[in-house]
């Protein structure tokens, strides 16, 4: 038993700093706890883990309240829903989020969140699939790959897993990998707007990516969880790119779009056009995984999701998103006023701040110690995150303003 | 890509009747749809898929309503909860469900349902783990094993997968496997009260099972999703058996206990005492899977779960369970009055009816055609289910009474 599991088990081989303690979120929260012990009276400002802070608009919670209350009535009680979600919600997602992209309701699979769908997709792909990830990237792609057995050995020297292809995304390449030096893999995880860099891929970049996937017979898993934060003309979905349906799955979420981080609701789109090399539709296999490994998102959360996509619900959410993006503007101003190079924050609620020549763990520690502000060390997102910290724009306005004040004080020349 | 996935993909090798169409539930619902087309005016009675039908007590939905409404307030808004669930709920499960069994709150992992936890456990075990299942058994154990790559080839002749150990559970052995002929496996899936047979394992049977697991270094995955339906002295948890914490994980659910099939809430217990052969605690690896592949159950569902475990909530649920068990009594009476041999229905909401020498698919079809009642063909639960049908006791009283009338008419000598 042990031997088999230990191929990735914590009980097995040595792993790097933050993986050993079960992921980046735990690393942050453990430092938070430590810091509070050490400075019990300090007013801690949390700009680390990207968690939403603003209330959900009434029109949306009212729908959830109604659904929950109805469960106590004979006519309103409902048991199992379809594993794939209610067709009404699937249609609403197709028609609202994918308007003009001709996505069908039955191609949309409602879930309890994008992260959970990443692991279901990994069950679909299996341990023999090869994967590529942006570097830096959201840790779940690699972490689920480690668990499913795709990653190979972790190398301390490089901070990379031997069997994962890391696609460097840096300011020098406008946060888009040099595909001429990117190896061929079965799967390409691609997050845009990107967590952590905040960069939204341009149309031209995505056209290149789709072309690259076609040439290599790769499947793109496109993570658009932050698409609602895009303020310019960058594509909000991979399906804005012609031909993408033959190569791309899209995962997304109500978490950041609607403040549903605790409510739990997301979706995955698998277009019918996406086929294996033998012509068999991938959607049939994903449907099987969903029906076997999942039992549907809570029908209460689904009622809320439907309200999010109503005209009034959607407008109300735009205002919440604008609030967070105004926060981002305040943080950008603070860092830029200090002469620092800042990325992101225009199409995403994350600011990616460069500290040239630094060790990101030390920058994280210094900011926490001296300003009582929690951020995330860039290296937690992969070796490509070294010299950077990620600052989240989720938070109360007064905290954001206060954080800016403290940061200006700390780094003033 | 394809080749790798096709080890289990539908696009790959031929599979048996109901797996080809994505599981037993879909098989039933497709026959339902067909039948309604064919007999549009017939009053169909659904005793197939075991879905709850009775409203959830007010005290429980009121808690969910309150939690949902609070999400629109500044003080009541909540984002991400802990992936493992709120400690308050974990403690409540430990102290209510596992009273006197000394299960700690931190050993309880709250989830969105037992079926989802089965697939997370399978990710933990991996493709090289060997598994044993009761025959007949709830399909998810095998189906997730097929997806993760544990099952081997499906053999039409036997109706079994080559690498899965099937433990025959029949009336002849009081629905408990002959362990002297059961091979050694890494994992033993064991469901009690059993779906589909309705048999609740006796204390003595579970003592044997725990001893067997210890001898073989196996991990028991004990599915107690129907424990709330036990009316006699049968153990309600594997942890009633001394020494079980060193060998057993328990998965359970609010679905049948509280009518949460649509709300989605369950839990898994991994005792600290459960270790790999190298002494490393399994709970640490499961915690890692949960934190990597899952993002917590909906906080609204968790608020409901907490209310289920309050004194008044628990009592209200006892009444709902009694309603279903009275249904079971009515169905048992009907079949027994026809001189048929009936199992289950005393400690579980399922009746397991024997039709000696029959093909269970044909019995299912005949009952549907002649009485417009949906059941489940026993063979859908494995070769050991041949000659049986499973009849669910979930339903409105009037439907159960009407179903009994129709069945008596059909089979009257």
């Amino acid at each position: 038993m042990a031997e088999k599991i230990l191929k990735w088990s914590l009980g097995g081989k040595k792993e790097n700093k933050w993986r050993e303690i079960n992921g980046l979120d735990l690393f942050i929260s453990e430092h938070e706890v430590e810091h509070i012990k050490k400075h019990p009276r300090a007013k801690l400002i949390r700009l680390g883990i990207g968690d939403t802070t603003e209330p959900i608009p009434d029109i949306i919670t009212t729908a959830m309240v109604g659904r929950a209350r109805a469960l106590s009535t004979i006519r309103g009680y409902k048991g199992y829903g379809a594993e794939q979600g209610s067709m009404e919600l699937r249609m609403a997602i197709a028609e609202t989020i994918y308007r003009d992209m001709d996505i069908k309701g039955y191609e949309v699979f409602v879930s309890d969140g994008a992260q959970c769908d990443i692991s279901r997709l990994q069950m679909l792909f299996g341990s023999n699939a090869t994967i590529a990830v942006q570097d830096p990237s959201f840790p779940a792609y690699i972490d689920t790959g480690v668990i499913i057995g795709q990653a190979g050995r972790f190398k301390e020297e490089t901070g990379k897993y031997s069997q994962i292809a890391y696609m460097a995304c840096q300011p020098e390449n406008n946060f888009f990998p040099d595909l001429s030096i990117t190896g061929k893999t079965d799967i390409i995880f691609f997050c845009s707007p990107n967590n952590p860099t905040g960069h939204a891929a341009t149309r031209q970049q995505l056209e290149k990516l789709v072309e690259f996937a076609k040439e290599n017979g790769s499947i793109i898993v496109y993570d658009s969880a932050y698409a609602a934060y895009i303020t310019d003309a960058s594509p909000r979905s991979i399906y804005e790119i012609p031909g993408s349906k033959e190569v791309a799955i899209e995962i997304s979420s109500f978490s950041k779009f609607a403040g549903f981080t605790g409510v739990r609701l997301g979706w995955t789109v698998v277009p019918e056009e996406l086929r294996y090399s033998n012509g068999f539709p991938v959607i049939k296999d994903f449907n099987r995984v969903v029906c076997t490994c999942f039992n549907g998102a809570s029908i209460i959360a689904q009622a809320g999701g439907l309200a999010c996509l109503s005209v009034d619900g959607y407008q109300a959410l735009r205002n919440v998103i604008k609030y967070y993006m105004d926060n981002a503007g305040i943080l950008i101003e603070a860092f830029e006023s200090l002469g620092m190079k800042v990325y992101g924050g225009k199409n995403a609620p994350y600011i990616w701040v460069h500290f040239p020549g630094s060790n990101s763990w030390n920058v994280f520690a210094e900011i926490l110690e001296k300003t009582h502000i929690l951020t995330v060390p860039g290296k937690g997102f992969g070796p490509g995150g070294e010299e950077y910290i990620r600052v989240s724009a989720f938070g109360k306005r007064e905290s954001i303003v206060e954080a800016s004040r403290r940061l200006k004080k700390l780094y003033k020349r």
Side-chain angles (χ1 to χ4, degrees), chain A:
Chain A
M1 182 80 242
E3 296 62 48
K4 291 158 191 154
I5 290 180
L6 293 184
K7 73 178 183 296
W8 65 268
S9 164
L10 296 173
K13 60 175 195 285
K14 189 161 169 305
E15 297 194 349
N16 75 354
K17 196 171 176 186
W18 63 271
R19 283 182 201 282
E20 262 171 7
I21 49 160
N22 248 324
L24 189 53
D25 292 1
L26 190 59
F27 173 87
I28 304 301
S29 57
E30 291 195 342
H31 276 66
E32 173 177 345
V33 172
E34 256 173 56
H35 188 78
I36 292 169
K37 274 205 206 101
K38 204 166 144 199
H39 306 279
R41 279 192 308 285
K43 186 181 173 302
L44 185 71
I45 299 178
R46 297 172 180 77
L47 306 181
I49 293 161
D51 194 5
T52 47
T53 58
E54 296 312 294
I56 297 171
D58 267 315
I59 182 172
I60 294 162
T61 53
T62 299
M64 294 195 280
V65 163
R67 179 65 269 183
R69 179 168 288 122
L71 291 173
S72 283
T73 67
I74 289 169
R75 312 181 92 255
Y77 179 75
K78 210 183 157 321
Y80 287 117
E83 289 90 344
Q84 307 91 335
S86 78
M87 191 45 83
E88 190 183 6
L89 179 55
R90 299 168 79 186
M91 297 287 291
I93 291 169
E95 289 161 8
T96 311
I97 308 289
Y98 300 103
R99 173 179 300 144
D100 307 329
M101 297 176 217
D102 192 32
I103 293 295
K104 316 281 192 304
Y106 61 78
E107 294 174 317
V108 177
F109 296 79
V110 174
S111 76
D112 59 333
Q115 182 150 1
C116 312
D117 272 344
I118 290 167
S119 76
R120 282 183 282 267
L121 283 167
Q122 290 283 35
M123 283 187 92
L124 171 71
F125 302 142
S127 56
N128 297 327
T130 53
I131 71 171
V133 299
Q134 292 156 293
D135 181 24
S137 71
F138 177 51
Y141 315 130
I142 289 177
D143 293 352
T144 54
V146 170
I147 288 175
I148 210 79
Q150 300 162 337
R153 307 194 82 278
F154 182 77
K155 297 179 177 169
E156 285 295 336
E157 351 35 292
T158 60
K160 298 180 178 181
Y161 283 92
S162 59
Q163 286 169 41
I164 291 178
Y166 291 74
M167 307 183 292
C169 295
Q170 297 291 336
E172 298 65 42
N173 57 19
N174 191 21
F175 297 102
F176 188 75
D178 178 350
L179 298 175
S180 69
I181 59 165
T182 302
K184 169 178 175 167
T185 59
D186 299 318
I187 309 299
I188 302 168
F189 285 100
F190 196 93
C191 178
S192 178
N194 186 265
N195 176 10
T197 69
H199 175 75
T202 65
R203 189 168 306 272
Q204 194 194 16
Q205 288 177 334
L206 292 181
E207 284 166 355
K208 280 190 199 155
L209 184 67
V210 167
E211 187 189 351
F212 179 73
K214 279 192 177 162
E215 286 164 0
N216 292 340
S218 307
I219 292 178
I220 298 165
V221 176
Y222 190 81
D223 184 341
S224 65
Y226 295 92
Y229 290 81
I230 293 177
T231 57
D232 64 16
S234 308
R236 285 161 171 64
S237 164
I238 188 69
Y239 302 122
E240 290 188 34
I241 309 304
S244 59
K245 289 181 187 172
E246 294 153 44
V247 293
I249 290 168
E250 182 162 306
I251 55 177
S252 201
S253 174
F254 286 84
S255 290
K256 309 302 165 83
F257 158 49
F260 271 27
T261 45
V263 173
R264 309 307 312 146
L265 195 67
W267 70 86
T268 290
V269 178
V270 183
E272 231 179 348
E273 292 90 331
L274 182 64
R275 305 291 172 119
Y276 297 123
S277 51
N278 70 345
F280 188 79
V282 174
I283 187 173
K284 286 202 178 183
D285 279 351
F286 187 66
N287 185 68
R288 182 177 181 174
V289 170
V290 167
C291 292
T292 304
C293 305
F294 184 56
N295 235 323
S298 176
I299 57 175
I300 298 169
Q302 290 190 60
L306 205 53
C308 292
L309 299 173
S310 67
V311 175
D312 295 348
Y314 199 80
Q315 185 48 52
L317 291 174
R318 300 306 316 164
N319 301 334
V320 179
I321 288 167
K322 182 174 184 315
Y323 179 91
Y324 291 133
M325 290 310 278
D326 291 345
N327 286 350
I330 292 167
L331 290 166
I332 289 173
E333 185 279 326
F335 287 108
E336 287 183 339
S337 74
L338 294 162
M340 295 183 182
K341 203 85 187 74
V342 181
Y343 304 93
K346 302 260 190 301
N347 290 321
Y350 295 125
I351 323 290
W352 189 239
V353 189
H354 193 198
F355 292 78
S358 71
N359 168 316
S360 62
W361 304 108
N362 298 342
V363 177
F364 163 82
E366 181 186 36
I367 291 176
L368 179 57
E369 184 58 33
K370 297 189 176 165
T371 70
H372 311 301
I373 298 171
L374 270 171
T375 60
V376 183
K379 202 165 180 187
F381 299 99
E386 187 58 293
E387 297 190 3
Y388 287 85
I389 60 159
R390 191 195 77 175
V391 183
S392 162
F394 294 115
K396 298 283 171 202
R397 181 62 44 81
E398 56 272 27
S399 305
I400 299 291
V401 171
E402 169 63 12
S404 305
R405 199 190 55 72
R406 294 183 194 174
L407 289 162
K408 285 179 179 175
K409 183 151 168 272
L410 172 63
Y411 290 111
K412 184 156 65 327
R413 308 248 166 72

